[in-house]
Amino acid sequence: ISGGNSKKRDNKGKVGTIRRFVWPDRVVVEGLNFVSKHQKQTSPDKPAGKVPVEAPVHISNVMYYAEKIERPVRLCCKRLEDGTKVRGYKVPGKGDFVQID
């Protein structure tokens, strides 16, 4: 996750998987961006109090993590010789295009 306002900068550089998409342009990332939800008591076995909940993050603040090079990269598209369009990323520093499965 990249930076943002000062409250969200503690998540910068952390890695997680996308848990779900929130329409139209936000995602919930597993293990990141926790907020406190004030929960009232609904039954005797569920006490009242503050419960940490994962909040959605804007999709522009999330990058793809390439496990081959173990770092975040920007995605791009490329047309192959046969005319098909594939998605992938360029290796930082080298510029070699790597196709995503």
Side-chain angles (χ1 to χ4, degrees), residues 4-93:
N5 59 19
S6 61
K7 185 177 179 184
K8 306 295 181 200
R9 289 205 180 160
D10 55 347
N11 292 321
K12 186 174 180 177
K14 292 185 180 178
V15 178
T17 58
I18 293 179
R19 189 171 278 195
R20 65 185 168 102
F21 287 88
V22 180
W23 186 83
D25 54 1
R26 293 186 172 267
V27 291
V28 175
V29 181
E30 184 178 348
L32 298 177
N33 197 25
F34 282 100
V35 294
S36 295
K37 179 181 177 185
H38 296 269
Q39 186 75 32
K40 73 177 188 176
Q41 186 173 4
T42 56
S43 64
D45 59 333
K46 292 186 179 180
K50 293 182 182 179
V51 178
V53 177
E54 295 166 340
V57 182
H58 197 272
I59 193 103
S60 66
N61 294 325
V62 179
M63 290 184 78
Y64 180 78
Y65 185 79
E67 293 182 358
K68 287 183 180 179
I69 59 174
E70 297 180 350
R71 62 184 288 185
V73 292
R74 292 187 181 192
L75 295 178
C76 60
C77 293
K78 182 180 180 180
R79 289 210 182 265
L80 300 177
E81 285 107 22
D82 62 351
T84 59
K85 193 174 182 182
V86 294
R87 194 170 76 152
Y89 60 91
K90 291 183 181 178
V91 178

